[in-house]
Amino acid sequence: MKYTYLALSIAMTLQLPCAFAAQESSQPTTSSIIEVIEVSSQVINEQGFSPKNTSVDGPFGDNLALADIARAVTPITSDMIEQLNITTLQDVLAVSPNSYSASGFGAPSLPTLRGQLGELYQDGTRRQAGNNGFGVPLSFNAIEQIDVVKGAPPVLFGSSQRNGGFVNLHSKAANTQTAQGKVLLSAGRWDQYRAQVDYSAPIVEGKSGFRVSAEHVDNGSFYDYAGLKSDSLFAALRFLPDDKSSWDINFELYQVEFTDNAGINRPTQALIDDGLYITGQGVQANGSTIAGAGAIVSPTGQVVIPRSTVLTDPENQNEATTYLLHSIYKRELSSQTTLKNISYFQHLQRDEIAQNSFVEIIDGADTAQNRTEVSHQWNSQQSSIFAFDVRFNEVKGYSQFTTEADLPIDLTGPLENRRIPLTAEQQARLVELRPGVYVSPGGQYDINNDGIGDFSLSDTTDSTSWQTGIAIQHDSQWSNSLRTSIGYRLDYYDVTAGDPIAPQGQIAARDNIYETLHSGQASINYKLAEELTSYLAASYNQATSNSMAGGTTLGSDNKISAQNFATDNTLAEIGLKYSPNDSPWYIDGALFNQRRSLRNRDGSNTGIRTQGFETQAFYDAQPFWLSAGYSYIDARYDNSASSQDSSQVADAFDDSRPDIINGTGVGAPNFASFAPSTRRVQGIPEQSLSLNGGWFISEQWQVGVGGIYTKSYPLDYLATVNIRDQYTINLNTSYEISPQTKLRLDVNNVTNQDNWRPVFEGGYFGSTLVFPELPINAKLTFQHSF
């Protein structure tokens, strides 16, 4: 029956355009006198580098002006993406406050907003993404706008997994009026190359069109044994059957080979400040020098380590293939009622087998979603949006991370130091998936009947999830100055999880759970003046836990934990938006108090409360443009417990060299747990500032500058190591050789700062790993339009 619901929903999407196109309008037309209003104002020559006049579709309705949305939002247009050199989700910090993120093991797949992982949407539907941000890199080949929204997803989008905020990607659309194309070629330091061809043309002028965009990336790397190779093929169709309907369909195929880059281990303060690395391979209690839990290092010295020497291995395998299909159909049913139907399907396969014993294999993950929205204008003051949503997620995947041990490894030694061949005892606690490849089972089993489970669990699963949601949002325009919005959504979950690789002779563990989750939102907009709008917003959201590809795992009791569906999230936000019609300025600011939950591997949840302030300003009028963003955030554990790979970096060392480090001799990793507290969350800068600007020296020649500053912050839970105040300055210049041809040069980190980032969101590896950011580098880009 559940499959029938989804099939009917998608079938409706494919049939609606044909059905409505076949209908003839039955409503009488009336003629009316058109009132002509003559407006006289200052002419502002905008260059497209401000979001001020960009409409926002999806989260809160369609065609909404930025100033009318009662949330902190930053739309990033295609012009801004190009000008600000945004190529990864981490780059949104250049323009959106409170979006500082960890490196995501060198390949971020999720945004970080207000100190917490956020969701990734495309065309209003939630994409598959990584487990805690570690997943498949994102290609922007298919994207023409990025909307960054702070706080949990609204009721129209429904219950999700991450609630710091979200990014909604808007796919490129076909042009039905004129043919246009673009070729882009770029080359950068460390043999980094990219080529893209993008072409759109009408099929039937004014009625239909197509668009094709292909991208190839072949990147070497500053980091040892690292790189990225990818291919993206995007195709889009647009149909305009009549003046009341539109249908957009797009498809992307993406293949990528990339590196899991864990940065540099042993992050002492001396490493952060002076690049000094403590040498010496860790030794286990049994005398083995293979990296393992509880190993202890006797320091043999201290050397300046090259920042390119990171925890990678030339024998590692890491590749993924995914394809996505989106459909958006809109129809004006009457002068008061419109219909929007959105469908999405994604398939993902991924293989990573690392020499440090880490394994993550997604042997097929399929996600399908269909949402129908009906908007009705009751009168000039009252309107509602009704939504019905069905989402299906099926994941079969295998994981093994229980024998990783990073702190004992001496990176300055031979590659064998980094490799962790499994002992016979470790293999006995796992299951052999392929010859020589061992993974955790998806359930726990007591083979010897001693009352204790005999296996090491990670994220292996064979799970299926059905999410069915209904939502309503009602908007009221009480006066020219006062507007309110309220919304509520109910989501029903039917989740099954099982073990896809039970040990020989065991019956595969399996469990099922049914849960109902609620979310609600309310906001008030009040215009203090024609150009100045204030707002107050509040939301409550119940979310689910996350695992690889959005799957669900069994706990050690072979049950799906109800805690996986008990992550309550709240938001209170007050803000101002200044958007004058006769000025090139746009400014906004927001105060927020946000509580969110993090899932722990044992099924429990850690609460984090953040309070802060953020503001952004844009100026765009030839020949100048300017953007600035500032954020302050106080992120603390909300009387909640926390955990870390090791309690502190000193635990990995003995006390034989106090001139180098006062080691505790505890051994590492030691999988430390910390009692409930209100300590500051590690890995998040309290303050950050971004500045960008440009000047058109002539109609052909432009120069630009960008800078990011982050205030010092603790890297680990106990704050034994701190990332100092940091800044990065980037320069760019472009020259139009002709109206169709442009050449651009980007020089990043021009002052060659030795900057650092956390490796992983949530601070779990804060005492173990740190990521060295890139030194000075340059990229030359050639662009030709036709």
Side-chain angles (χ1 to χ4, degrees):
M1 182 62 72
K2 299 175 192 124
Y3 288 95
T4 304
Y5 288 151
L6 187 64
L8 285 173
S9 296
I10 294 178
M12 284 178 61
T13 303
L14 300 176
Q15 294 298 325
L16 279 170
C18 300
F20 282 120
Q23 291 180 355
E24 294 186 2
S25 176
S26 60
Q27 297 187 11
T29 59
T30 59
S31 60
S32 59
I33 299 175
I34 300 175
E35 180 181 4
V36 177
I37 301 175
E38 185 174 327
V39 178
S40 177
S41 63
Q42 177 186 358
V43 176
I44 301 171
N45 295 316
E46 297 178 352
Q47 303 157 101
F49 303 145
S50 170
K52 176 181 177 180
N53 297 316
T54 304
S55 64
V56 177
D57 289 345
F60 309 96
D62 286 345
N63 300 315
L64 295 179
L66 184 57
D68 293 334
I69 300 174
R71 287 279 280 274
V73 182
T74 308
I76 306 174
T77 65
S78 57
D79 288 333
M80 295 170 68
I81 291 172
E82 177 184 333
Q83 180 59 43
L84 297 171
N85 194 27
I86 295 174
T87 58
T88 74
L89 286 173
Q90 289 179 332
D91 296 334
V92 299
L93 177 61
V95 65
S96 180
N98 261 326
S99 56
Y100 181 83
S101 64
S103 74
F105 288 94
S109 63
L110 289 169
T112 298
L113 301 166
R114 290 181 178 170
Q116 189 69 258
L117 279 174
E119 288 289 7
L120 181 65
Y121 291 82
Q122 185 170 346
D123 298 329
T125 54
R126 177 159 48 100
R127 284 181 53 145
Q128 291 173 355
N131 181 11
N132 292 320
F134 175 55
V136 179
L138 177 68
S139 168
F140 285 167
N141 177 48
I143 308 306
E144 64 182 358
Q145 182 172 318
I146 305 170
D147 293 341
V148 183
V149 185
K150 313 297 173 57
V155 296
L156 291 180
F157 282 5
S159 174
S160 64
Q161 295 178 332
R162 306 165 185 91
N163 294 277
F166 62 94
V167 166
N168 188 28
L169 307 172
H170 294 270
S171 300
K172 293 175 177 176
N175 194 319
T176 62
Q177 297 294 334
T178 58
Q180 55 189 24
K182 180 176 71 174
V183 175
L184 186 148
L185 303 171
S186 69
R189 193 179 179 188
W190 310 301
D191 296 322
Q192 299 202 355
Y193 304 104
R194 176 187 174 214
Q196 183 188 77
V197 178
D198 187 346
Y199 181 74
S200 180
I203 299 173
V204 177
E205 187 173 339
K207 291 292 185 179
S208 60
F210 75 93
R211 185 167 184 172
V212 177
S213 184
E215 179 188 67
H216 175 72
V217 176
D218 188 349
N219 283 348
S221 180
F222 162 74
Y223 307 105
D224 296 343
Y225 316 120
L228 184 147
K229 293 183 179 180
S230 70
D231 290 286
S232 169
L233 176 62
F234 172 80
L237 293 171
R238 165 166 282 191
F239 299 101
L240 303 175
D242 50 44
D243 61 353
K244 298 181 182 298
S245 58
S246 65
W247 191 19
D248 287 281
I249 307 170
N250 62 70
F251 173 85
E252 182 184 13
L253 173 64
Y254 180 60
Q255 296 178 304
V256 61
E257 298 177 22
F258 62 104
T259 302
D260 171 1
N261 188 341
I264 298 177
N265 64 343
R266 304 181 182 178
T268 63
Q269 197 63 56
L271 176 67
I272 302 301
D273 294 345
D274 303 309
L276 295 173
Y277 183 84
I278 301 174
T279 59
Q281 184 74 358
V283 180
Q284 297 187 53
N286 62 5
S288 172
T289 57
I290 294 173
I296 299 175
V297 180
S298 296
T300 58
Q302 197 172 28
V303 300
V304 175
I305 189 171
R307 291 169 62 84
S308 60
T309 304
V310 291
L311 271 171
T312 54
D313 192 301
E315 299 299 319
N316 287 351
Q317 304 172 40
N318 196 9
E319 58 184 7
T321 299
T322 186
Y323 57 85
L324 304 91
L325 174 68
H326 287 89
S327 167
I328 303 174
Y329 176 75
K330 297 179 181 180
R331 173 75 182 182
E332 183 182 330
L333 301 178
S334 71
S335 59
Q336 292 81 34
T337 308
T338 59
L339 170 78
K340 180 166 74 170
N341 187 276
I342 306 171
S343 291
Y344 151 77
F345 176 80
Q346 181 174 3
H347 174 79
L348 169 68
Q349 288 194 247
R350 180 186 176 190
D351 257 46
E352 177 175 9
I353 302 173
Q355 297 302 305
N356 69 346
S357 75
F358 177 82
V359 177
E360 183 169 291
I361 296 173
I362 299 176
D363 190 20
D366 294 304
T367 305
Q369 184 172 352
N370 182 270
R371 183 170 70 248
T372 299
E373 299 176 10
V374 177
S375 303
H376 185 74
Q377 187 80 36
W378 302 99
N379 54 47
S380 59
Q381 290 81 37
Q382 308 293 326
S383 63
S384 300
I385 303 175
F386 304 91
F388 177 73
D389 207 341
V390 180
R391 181 179 174 89
F392 169 76
N393 191 65
E394 183 177 44
V395 179
K396 179 183 283 188
Y398 307 93
S399 175
Q400 148 58 7
F401 51 68
T402 63
T403 55
E404 284 184 87
D406 296 324
L407 275 175
I409 295 170
D410 183 352
L411 272 180
T412 65
L415 282 173
E416 285 71 20
N417 283 2
R418 313 177 186 190
R419 295 172 176 173
I420 305 178
L422 300 178
T423 65
E425 181 182 5
Q426 289 170 329
Q427 290 177 6
R429 296 186 59 82
L430 302 168
V431 181
E432 191 171 22
L433 175 67
R434 304 172 186 168
V437 178
Y438 289 83
V439 297
S440 297
Q444 187 58 272
Y445 306 91
D446 181 10
I447 302 294
N448 56 14
N449 297 314
D450 64 354
I452 301 174
D454 297 318
F455 292 87
S456 300
L457 299 184
S458 52
D459 279 342
T460 296
T461 187
D462 182 1
S463 64
T464 300
S465 171
W466 283 93
Q467 176 186 352
T468 304
I470 54 173
I472 180 172
Q473 175 180 306
H474 186 78
D475 301 318
S476 302
Q477 185 76 50
W478 301 105
S479 69
N480 290 334
S481 300
L482 179 63
R483 186 162 56 87
T484 62
S485 178
I486 58 173
Y488 170 75
R489 174 158 173 155
L490 181 146
D491 280 289
Y492 176 74
Y493 281 86
D494 179 353
V495 181
T496 301
D499 183 358
I501 189 168
Q504 187 174 3
Q506 300 298 307
I507 299 174
R510 197 165 189 83
D511 191 30
N512 184 251
I513 194 170
Y514 305 94
E515 294 287 342
T516 301
L517 277 64
H518 305 267
S519 58
Q521 65 190 44
S523 64
I524 301 173
N525 288 56
Y526 185 78
K527 282 193 173 185
L528 302 173
E530 183 61 31
E531 68 279 357
L532 183 63
T533 303
S534 63
Y535 70 87
L536 176 64
S539 74
Y540 169 76
N541 168 278
Q542 291 180 311
T544 67
S545 65
N546 68 85
S547 185
M548 58 177 172
T552 301
T553 58
L554 296 174
S556 58
D557 59 355
N558 289 342
K559 301 291 183 183
I560 300 172
S561 173
Q563 284 289 94
N564 289 355
F565 302 86
T567 56
D568 291 351
N569 307 275
T570 60
L571 166 69
E573 181 174 314
I574 184 171
L576 289 172
K577 298 188 176 185
Y578 175 69
S579 183
N581 291 325
D582 57 351
S583 169
W585 285 98
Y586 173 81
I587 305 172
D588 67 28
L591 289 166
F592 61 90
N593 187 317
Q594 198 164 318
R595 186 191 185 279
R596 306 179 301 284
S597 294
L598 283 173
R599 167 190 175 265
N600 301 316
R601 183 61 187 88
D602 62 4
S604 64
N605 290 294
T606 296
I608 293 177
R609 184 178 294 278
T610 60
Q611 302 176 79
F613 168 74
E614 58 202 23
T615 184
Q616 57 186 358
F618 297 87
Y619 175 90
D620 183 18
Q622 288 183 344
F624 303 106
W625 66 271
L626 171 73
S627 72
Y630 169 79
S631 62
Y632 167 82
I633 186 169
D634 180 23
R636 297 184 177 274
Y637 291 99
D638 192 19
N639 291 312
S640 292
S642 184
S643 60
Q644 207 167 245
D645 185 57
S646 297
S647 68
Q648 56 182 315
V649 66
D651 290 349
F653 304 96
D654 62 24
D655 60 357
S656 61
R657 291 292 303 271
D659 58 316
I660 296 177
I661 189 169
N662 292 314
T664 66
V666 171
N670 51 45
F671 313 112
S673 296
F674 302 103
S677 73
T678 57
R679 291 183 69 96
R680 181 179 170 185
V681 177
Q682 66 271 39
I684 303 171
E686 189 178 57
Q687 297 183 65
S688 64
L689 174 68
S690 64
L691 291 169
N692 296 280
W695 174 37
F696 280 83
I697 299 173
S698 68
E699 290 186 3
Q700 293 78 32
W701 185 20
Q702 181 264 163
V703 294
V705 61
I708 297 173
Y709 162 82
T710 54
K711 190 170 176 57
S712 63
Y713 58 92
L715 183 62
D716 62 320
Y717 180 86
L718 297 176
T720 62
V721 177
N722 288 274
I723 303 293
R724 306 298 192 188
D725 290 17
Q726 298 184 151
Y727 70 89
T728 303
I729 297 175
N730 306 318
L731 299 177
N732 68 81
T733 184
S734 62
Y735 185 81
E736 286 191 0
I737 301 171
S738 72
Q740 291 79 36
T741 306
K742 182 167 68 174
L743 200 62
R744 171 175 169 137
L745 175 67
D746 287 275
V747 182
N748 303 312
N749 193 10
V750 293
T751 57
N752 206 27
Q753 299 298 298
D754 290 337
N755 292 334
W756 304 88
R757 276 182 192 252
V759 166
F760 196 64
E761 301 292 348
Y764 183 79
F765 289 106
S767 61
T768 305
L769 303 167
V770 68
F771 194 84
E773 295 194 39
L774 292 174
I776 184 172
N777 60 94
K779 179 176 69 173
L780 186 65
T781 302
F782 170 84
Q783 179 178 306
H784 178 72
S785 299
F786 56 93

